[in-house]
Amino acid sequence: MYNLQLSAEQVEIRDTVRDFVTKELKPVAIKSARMEALDHTPLWAQIDQASQMGLRTLRLAEELGGSGADALTAAIVSEELAVGDPDAAAILAETSAVARVLFGKAMSKAQRDKYLPAFISDDRYHLAHAAAAPANELGINYHRASAAPTATVTAKASGGDFIINGTAAAVANAPLAKLIAVEAQVDGAKGISTFIVPAGTKGMSVKELPLGRYMGSMGEVTFKDCRIPADQLLGKGGEGVMLNGSTLSLQAINLGIGRAAYETAVDYAKIRVQGAKNIIEHQPIGTKLAESAIRLEVARNTIWKAAWLSDHPEALTDDMSSGLPIEAVSQVFVAEHIHRATKDCAECFGAMGVMRDMPLWKYIRDARMCLHSGAGVSDAKLVIAEAISGFRREGA
Amino acid sequence: MYNLQLSAEQVEIRDTVRDFVTKELKPVAIKSARMEALDHTPLWAQIDQASQMGLRTLRLAEELGGSGADALTAAIVSEELAVGDPDAAAILAETSAVARVLFGKAMSKAQRDKYLPAFISDDRYHLAHAAAAPANELGINYHRASAAPTATVTAKASGGDFIINGTAAAVANAPLAKLIAVEAQVDGAKGISTFIVPAGTKGMSVKELPLGRYMGSMGEVTFKDCRIPADQLLGKGGEGVMLNGSTLSLQAINLGIGRAAYETAVDYAKIRVQGAKNIIEHQPIGTKLAESAIRLEVARNTIWKAAWLSDHPEALTDDMSSGLPIEAVSQVFVAEHIHRATKDCAECFGAMGVMRDMPLWKYIRDARMCLHSGAGVSDAKLVIAEAISGFRREGA
Amino acid sequence: MDFKLNEEQTAWQMKARKFAAEVLRPRSLERDRITDAFGTWDWDIIKAGSKLGFRTSCVPKKFGGHEIDFVTQAVVMAELAKADSAMSKAFSQCWKWSHLISQACTPEQQERYLKPFMSDDTYVLGMGSTEHIGGSDNRLPPENIKSGMRLSGVQDGDYWILNGEKAFIANGSVGKLFFLNVRTDPNVMMRDGVTTFVIEKDKTPGFSIGKVFNKSGWRFYQNAELVCTNARVHKSNILGEVNGAMKRSVGDNSGDMFGDLELAANALGFCDDAVETAIKLAKTRTQGGKLLKEQQNIQLKINKMAMLTEALRSYVLRTAWEHDQKIKGTNAGLVMNYSTFVGQEVTELYLDVCDQPGVELDEHADKLVRDSFIWSHLAGDTVQQIRVAQKMLK
Amino acid sequence: MDFKLNEEQTAWQMKARKFAAEVLRPRSLERDRITDAFGTWDWDIIKAGSKLGFRTSCVPKKFGGHEIDFVTQAVVMAELAKADSAMSKAFSQCWKWSHLISQACTPEQQERYLKPFMSDDTYVLGMGSTEHIGGSDNRLPPENIKSGMRLSGVQDGDYWILNGEKAFIANGSVGKLFFLNVRTDPNVMMRDGVTTFVIEKDKTPGFSIGKVFNKSGWRFYQNAELVCTNARVHKSNILGEVNGAMKRSVGDNSGDMFGDLELAANALGFCDDAVETAIKLAKTRTQGGKLLKEQQNIQLKINKMAMLTEALRSYVLRTAWEHDQKIKGTNAGLVMNYSTFVGQEVTELYLDVCDQPGVELDEHADKLVRDSFIWSHLAGDTVQQIRVAQKMLK
């Protein structure tokens, strides 16, 4: 039965996180000095606190020590965290998403026994996933077969071990992860294999990528004759374990960014006086805020639907999504509309909307980053267009 | 629990209506000659058939002989019908919505016994509601108290009867209704009273309003010393019975219009060849169709949420709608995005997109009508803005 | 830099303004309301305009025309379109092809075609290129022999036999002389196998008018099918070279230099109409006892309408001047694309300003919105945009 | 109609183009990257530009300036902004206020202010009007005595004592001479109680520079607080009448006629930059082995960028010409509003063209987007739109 009410548990976790964000995370995150200096150093004290609240292990199964939350709950949490600090939200979402599959599905019992306890007990234990570079050429390959993903990292069996070489270009959480799952092409094998490599392993180095381009933390991971024992291979190899790949958490973070901008603008519009009236009482400001409210409200519905469908793939009947790739639908909608909303909200602030010691410009910048993240909305639209036309990529 | 799956019953009625529309309604509605002549004569054969399927009495309670459908189901049905013919959809939605409250709540048992049997048994028995003119001056009254609705129709007690005088300007279904509920200001009384007046009552005349401006059928109802017995007053009088007033069915109809345009465009784009490729294989057409698909998908989510909330007002907690007037949110979103989608879809057709014997121009015109219906989206945004600012109208 | 019109240009502008106000505007809504697609046409309007020179204004002086420059053309189009966009187009369609006659015909042909054109107030011109199938291929020809127009021409001694149909042809139902692009070699790419024939309607056996298209906007302006059933045309009616139609480069984009500019100038006209009428409304209509103009949202709409319209005016006049200077470039195409965007935005805002609760749909605003939507299929669709972009990206 | 620049205008354009390419562009991204708000400024750039006449180009010839006309001003601004929008503004800000000096000062004041300005390559001008509270009230004054600026001036013999703060003042941290709008009568509406004082920074005790604002875009260009703590100014430094500041109507919209046009011309410059760079990218960068320009969606983006930019160019030049002709109207305001829309749309499309999967964020495109967003608060916010609309609706 169609029902839009969240469960009591979902409402509780949302309210708990919202409270934490309002009181602990946001006040630190939007400190003027930090914003002015473009300082993206992870807010460790608050991220640790979030970990203690279970947000680092949110999606890990309960029986493995996590909260076993579904994608919808994770989206709600990411939105709330991002209202305070999108970077913290991104770091936690990545670890939580990777943990779910890595510990829940990909690892053998022996591997789990070896890595899980430390992961559970250490609030600073974060995870990263260095995926094989996707064939990011949809534009030119629209309605044509495209090349298979190419592994920029290779592995070679050598006396019971594997020797890994190559570079993974942009890996979320890599600079702070204690364990990195890396996809590599094993010499002579079919398909992609995934290895787990603890931070500090000789031959693996991580270069942090410049701030401001990504949410959270991003690094380039380089392997140079990095020797790892065979028991760090996941499964039998050649299987290409899907560790994350969803853009839903980024969408939820984007929504949180928009909400932060909107809430700030509404508060301001209710007290700032112009022409002897609060500015919200002027039609143009009221209209802009109403339009932003609509964008947020509709974006949230869309993300929630995509999240719920990822939790309930059995419901993917034609009545639910018209056969559309709903995550791509949501990606385009959220990215475009939140970007617009942050700009409109900033306009309510006059000159303060562009000052680096005020949060508005950062909301716009973060929303712009979401708009231009990954393959961008133009490609996402082509993905949808191919689905509409019934085009099926060979090998996909 | 959050759940987006429709009930088996909802899916069944949707599929039944869809089938009826595809086979019976649409082929007649989009006949070239009819469109070219701007012919809006109700398609009685099909509307009767729909009535026999229970769509005229869709929202009337089961115990009174209706289907007892909720607002969500009604929205689904209106969308499906409008894919075929928005006029038929509007006529049926109006009767069904008025019947629910009129027979279900507003009438006394005696009144119900008198009017209900005929209503149930007669497929051509439609209803109309002539409401007191709303105070349509939100623009100038933004953030100011506005005038109360003024009754353009008055009633005066006279020897056990009432004498009604005045004109109701634009009443949906009036030209074809067999029973009209009219709001009037009773001389000397407080508040608005509602009377039921059967078609043909001496002193009541209906002038059909020009085609093309409204969905369905619209008339101006004039009372000239129209004498009706006191037992045709609903309730005790002075209570202002809320008989419809929801814009949700119009939103669902608008969505159906957009879907018709989109489906036609997709079909065409898959077969029309340009530059030796089907036009959907050209990036710009693919992108336009993807954007239209996004608009439709997101619009549907929004309407369904508004409908579900109207069915479950108890769920109107802050987590569900952020305190926004969700129906206004939906109205703005649907009207703006469906209008854009119909224009984009028509563009795929080249010159055929503007020909009166082809359906595209009509989809655009109908969507434009929805965009400019009632008080328009500019006013709806101000309604939302007032809600955001916490402004409460006196008397509202 | 000088943005002033000269005396002659101003004189034409004033003449057009007067004719538009006195003859076109009073009949605009009345013609628009007529349901029959052919019934919207009114020869009296054409005759009256012709007598003032609006039908023949682009014919060279040596043939008795006025030979007005492109700036004047743009200004006159805009003035006429301010009263009725479709009526304006009915006249300027004659300009397009009288341009072509004077630029591409032989002196003998010019004499033969221009004489009746000059002497008959109801002599209207047209050009048949588009067909039901693959219309855009004509504008953006793909590397494919099967693409492009199919109306065929086969030589038969001194004559050519034409067979096939053209669709959506402007002035099709009322024209007396048509340029017809014909596939005279189906075995090569379209650009190498099309010939332009000049068809004198009354002198061409086998040539007839088919269906008149019933458009949702621009109703006065006629579009029809042209049908050739073994139509017989003498070779002296060929324009330029056999198989040379697509290589002709008289102007920049269309068959002549006026083509793209024409639509932009026309849009400027109805935008002016929309802006002026909306301002008038805002200054006179009240809501709750106060003038509409007191509402800031109304002010913003008026601002946007005027801003876009003035940007369009600037761009149209600059492009017209560039035409007169024979400066080639992409501005004619771009300003045409631009006029689509501006025309639709401005007329929709106008409808929005009219759209006060409780007030009936404004017939005039609705007409302007319907007229402006025609641009989506003429001036602003993605094919037209790509055509211009490809030039820039060469 | 004539859209050509004359020889003198072209000469200035070429000089600006060379300076922009050789001096501004190479330092643009480097200055933009500097985190410290004041550290972005570079006197070498100002000195180099000053020696070429870009600081003093609007000073009348009789005072040793170049007195370039508005068309030239627009053209030069655009050329400089094509290399760096904020650097262009640092120069044109001096033009604004040298306009004001030559139009509104007494001959004695002109002599006194222009002499040091002409002789010192680092002499930069500014104007203080906006305050932290109620900024928009200065542009759209409400009928309320409490509204509007609060920095106060009280007469004390031949001197006036000023107290209060101005905020966001352009060139605030680097200027040597400021016009300061001061509320000299708090008991009347703002329009009747404001006086403009000319503040020579080094000669005014009690006048100091406060915080330098750290903007997200336009980083080279400085905005700062100006603080008056019992600042003492001689009455000979009053511009025009006491309480007459808001009644001064030198130009159309701002304090001078150049104000609104300046921003539009500046936006034209960075739009040109965006269009050219995007076309270059599309013609050289590949995806899957094919040039970007082969993709139709890329073509559409380029088309839109060029279309909007050329419309803006046409409108800017027309408005500049109207200024030179002393034609009053709403075009300066409208073209400023328009440049906001165009500048943001074009730069965002440029970022989008750069935004190929797997490619790092383009620093140059990102800068242009950030620079263009400044317009939302200067040129295109609803207050500015309403201000223009109210003129049209009078």
Side-chain angles (χ1 to χ4, degrees), chain B residues 219-253:
Chain B
E220 183 186 87
V221 186
T222 302
F223 298 90
K224 214 176 157 184
D225 293 332
C226 175
R227 174 177 293 268
I228 59 165
D231 66 2
Q232 284 172 221
L233 171 66
L234 289 179
K236 295 193 201 323
E239 295 153 336
V241 186
M242 190 65 176
L243 284 177
N244 44 10
S246 164
T247 67
L248 273 175
S249 67
L250 185 64
Q251 294 175 28
I253 288 169

Side-chain angles (χ1 to χ4, degrees), chain B residues 14-34:
Chain B
R14 187 205 59 192
D15 291 346
T16 308
V17 176
R18 189 175 289 178
D19 191 57
F20 161 70
V21 168
T22 308
K23 291 184 185 144
E24 311 286 339
L25 183 59
K26 193 171 175 184
V28 182
I30 66 167
K31 271 193 178 145
S32 296
R34 184 178 150 85

Side-chain angles (χ1 to χ4, degrees), chain B residues 159-182:
Chain B
D161 297 340
F162 285 93
I163 311 288
I164 307 187
N165 273 294
T167 298
V171 181
N173 271 6
L176 40 84
K178 295 201 171 162
L179 191 65
I180 297 179
V182 59

Side-chain angles (χ1 to χ4, degrees), chain A residues 251-312:
Chain A
Q251 294 176 28
I253 287 169
N254 197 359
L255 174 60
I257 292 160
R259 210 181 91 202
Y262 169 76
E263 289 175 352
T264 311
V266 170
D267 288 348
Y268 186 74
K270 284 179 178 174
I271 56 164
R272 172 83 173 180
V273 176
Q274 209 79 65
K277 286 198 280 194
N278 290 330
I279 63 174
I280 201 169
E281 296 181 30
H282 293 283
Q283 285 186 343
I285 298 291
T287 299
K288 255 186 218 306
L289 291 175
E291 286 169 350
S292 298
I294 294 170
R295 295 181 205 280
L296 291 171
E297 161 69 23
V298 176
R300 185 176 298 109
N301 297 346
T302 313
I303 293 173
W304 285 16
K305 176 165 180 176
W308 183 82
L309 276 171
S310 95
D311 288 329
H312 299 86

Side-chain angles (χ1 to χ4, degrees), chain A residues 38-352:
Chain A
L38 307 174
D39 182 2
H40 281 263
T41 319
L43 297 170
W44 280 121
Q46 290 71 27
I47 295 172
D48 290 352
Q49 218 178 326
S51 171
Q52 283 148 26
M53 292 164 66
L55 305 184
R56 188 179 56 94
T57 50
L58 188 68
R59 301 218 60 198
L60 184 68
E62 280 187 81
E63 57 272 27
L64 299 180
S67 308
D70 57 13
L72 175 57
T73 308
I76 293 169
V77 168
S78 286
E79 176 190 336
E80 295 298 332
L81 286 172
V83 171
D85 183 33
D87 292 321
I91 291 167
L92 289 160
E94 183 68 11
T95 294
S96 156
V98 174
R100 172 168 165 269
V101 187
L102 185 63
F103 295 112
K105 291 188 196 159
M107 282 187 179
S108 66
K109 185 173 180 310
Q111 287 169 330
R112 202 153 49 214
D113 289 345
K114 185 169 166 192
Y115 293 105
L116 185 59
F119 174 69
I120 295 292
S121 61
D122 179 357
D123 286 326
R124 291 276 171 100
Y125 201 119
H126 286 278
L127 303 171
H129 175 227
N136 265 331
E137 294 162 352
L138 182 60
I140 203 69
N141 289 316
Y142 177 61
H143 265 268
R144 299 181 202 155
S146 59
T150 39
T152 54
V153 178
T154 59
K156 202 173 170 156
S158 160
D161 296 340
F162 285 92
I163 311 287
I164 307 188
N165 273 294
T167 298
V171 181
N173 271 5
L176 41 83
K178 294 200 172 164
L179 191 66
I180 297 180
V182 59
E183 294 183 358
Q185 178 66 50
V186 177
D187 206 19
K190 264 195 176 175
I192 296 285
S193 300
T194 308
F195 298 90
I196 41 179
V197 189
T201 300
K202 206 183 147 210
M204 176 175 80
S205 61
V206 177
K207 188 179 95 190
E208 189 160 0
L209 292 179
L211 301 168
R213 173 69 180 110
Y214 308 100
M215 297 297 173
S217 168
M218 190 68 73
E220 183 185 87
V221 185
T222 303
F223 299 89
K224 212 174 159 187
D225 293 333
C226 176
R227 174 177 293 268
I228 60 165
D231 65 3
Q232 285 173 220
L233 171 66
L234 288 179
K236 295 194 201 320
E239 296 154 337
V241 186
M242 190 66 176
L243 284 177
N244 43 9
S246 164
T247 66
L248 273 175
S249 66
L250 186 63
Q251 294 176 28
I253 287 169
N254 197 359
L255 174 60
I257 292 160
R259 210 181 91 202
Y262 169 76
E263 289 175 352
T264 311
V266 170
D267 288 348
Y268 186 74
K270 284 179 178 174
I271 56 164
R272 172 83 173 180
V273 176
Q274 209 79 65
K277 286 198 280 194
N278 290 330
I279 63 174
I280 201 169
E281 296 181 30
H282 293 283
Q283 285 186 343
I285 298 291
T287 299
K288 255 186 218 306
L289 291 175
E291 286 169 350
S292 298
I294 294 170
R295 295 181 205 280
L296 291 171
E297 161 69 23
V298 176
R300 185 176 298 109
N301 297 346
T302 313
I303 293 173
W304 285 16
K305 176 165 180 176
W308 183 82
L309 276 171
S310 95
D311 288 329
H312 299 86
E314 75 281 3
L316 267 172
T317 52
D318 70 333
D319 56 306
M320 285 312 309
S321 64
S322 325
L324 296 172
I326 188 74
E327 201 175 304
V329 167
S330 179
Q331 182 195 337
V332 173
F333 187 86
V334 174
E336 290 185 343
H337 286 261
I338 297 296
H339 182 241
R340 184 72 251 172
T342 55
K343 286 182 65 178
D344 285 345
C345 288
E347 255 186 72
C348 301
F349 283 79
M352 299 318 290

Side-chain angles (χ1 to χ4, degrees), chain C residues 255-327:
Chain C
D256 73 328
M257 284 184 74
F258 183 61
D260 296 348
L261 177 63
E262 176 196 28
L263 291 168
N266 190 306
L268 175 61
F270 66 70
C271 285
D272 273 337
D273 188 11
V275 173
E276 276 190 27
T277 318
I279 289 180
K280 208 178 299 169
L281 263 181
K283 290 165 87 168
T284 52
R285 190 176 287 174
T286 60
Q287 189 186 81
K290 301 203 172 170
L291 290 172
L292 287 188
K293 71 169 191 168
E294 292 185 29
Q295 293 189 49
Q296 292 190 327
N297 275 353
I298 298 283
Q299 294 167 9
L300 291 182
K301 285 169 193 170
I302 300 278
N303 173 288
K304 192 169 186 188
M305 293 172 71
M307 174 186 95
L308 292 173
T309 301
E310 293 308 323
L312 179 59
R313 185 188 326 283
S314 312
Y315 201 4
V316 163
L317 287 174
R318 169 192 171 193
T319 305
W321 172 80
E322 289 182 354
H323 276 13
D324 282 325
Q325 303 300 308
K326 310 235 179 291
I327 296 172

Side-chain angles (χ1 to χ4, degrees), chain B residues 349-362:
Chain B
F349 283 79
M352 300 317 290
V354 300
M355 296 307 168
R356 290 226 308 219
D357 54 349
M358 293 281 290
L360 278 308
W361 80 279
K362 183 174 180 299

Side-chain angles (χ1 to χ4, degrees), chain C residues 1-6 9 71 140 275 278-279 282-283 293 296 298-300 302-304 306-319 321-322 325 331 333-335 337-339 341 381-390 392-394, chain D residues 1-6 9 71 140 275 278-279 282-283 293 296 298-300 302-304 306-319 321-322 325 331 333-335 337-339 341 381-390 392-394:
Chain C
M1 278 297 310
D2 188 357
F3 226 77
K4 262 194 316 290
L5 300 179
N6 64 30
Q9 291 162 341
V71 168
L140 209 62
V275 173
I279 289 180
K283 290 165 87 168
K293 71 169 191 168
Q296 292 190 327
I298 298 283
Q299 294 167 9
L300 291 182
I302 300 278
N303 173 288
K304 192 169 186 188
M307 174 186 95
L308 292 173
T309 301
E310 293 308 323
L312 179 59
R313 185 188 326 283
S314 312
Y315 201 4
V316 163
L317 287 174
R318 169 192 171 193
T319 305
W321 172 80
E322 289 182 354
Q325 303 300 308
N331 279 329
L334 287 175
V335 74
N337 299 158
Y338 185 62
S339 71
F341 162 73
D381 64 10
T382 54
V383 174
Q384 295 286 36
Q385 290 160 17
I386 284 170
R387 201 166 59 103
V388 184
Q390 289 184 347
M392 284 187 277
L393 288 164
K394 250 186 197 143
Chain D
M1 275 297 309
D2 188 356
F3 225 76
K4 260 195 317 291
L5 299 179
N6 65 30
Q9 290 162 342
V71 168
L140 209 62
V275 173
I279 289 179
K283 290 165 88 168
K293 72 169 191 169
Q296 293 190 328
I298 298 282
Q299 294 166 11
L300 291 182
I302 301 277
N303 173 288
K304 193 170 186 189
M307 173 186 96
L308 292 172
T309 301
E310 293 309 323
L312 178 59
R313 186 187 325 283
S314 313
Y315 201 5
V316 163
L317 287 174
R318 169 192 172 194
T319 306
W321 173 81
E322 289 182 354
Q325 303 301 308
N331 279 328
L334 287 175
V335 74
N337 299 157
Y338 184 62
S339 71
F341 163 73
D381 64 11
T382 51
V383 174
Q384 294 286 37
Q385 290 159 17
I386 285 171
R387 202 165 58 103
V388 184
Q390 289 184 346
M392 285 186 277
L393 289 164
K394 252 186 196 142

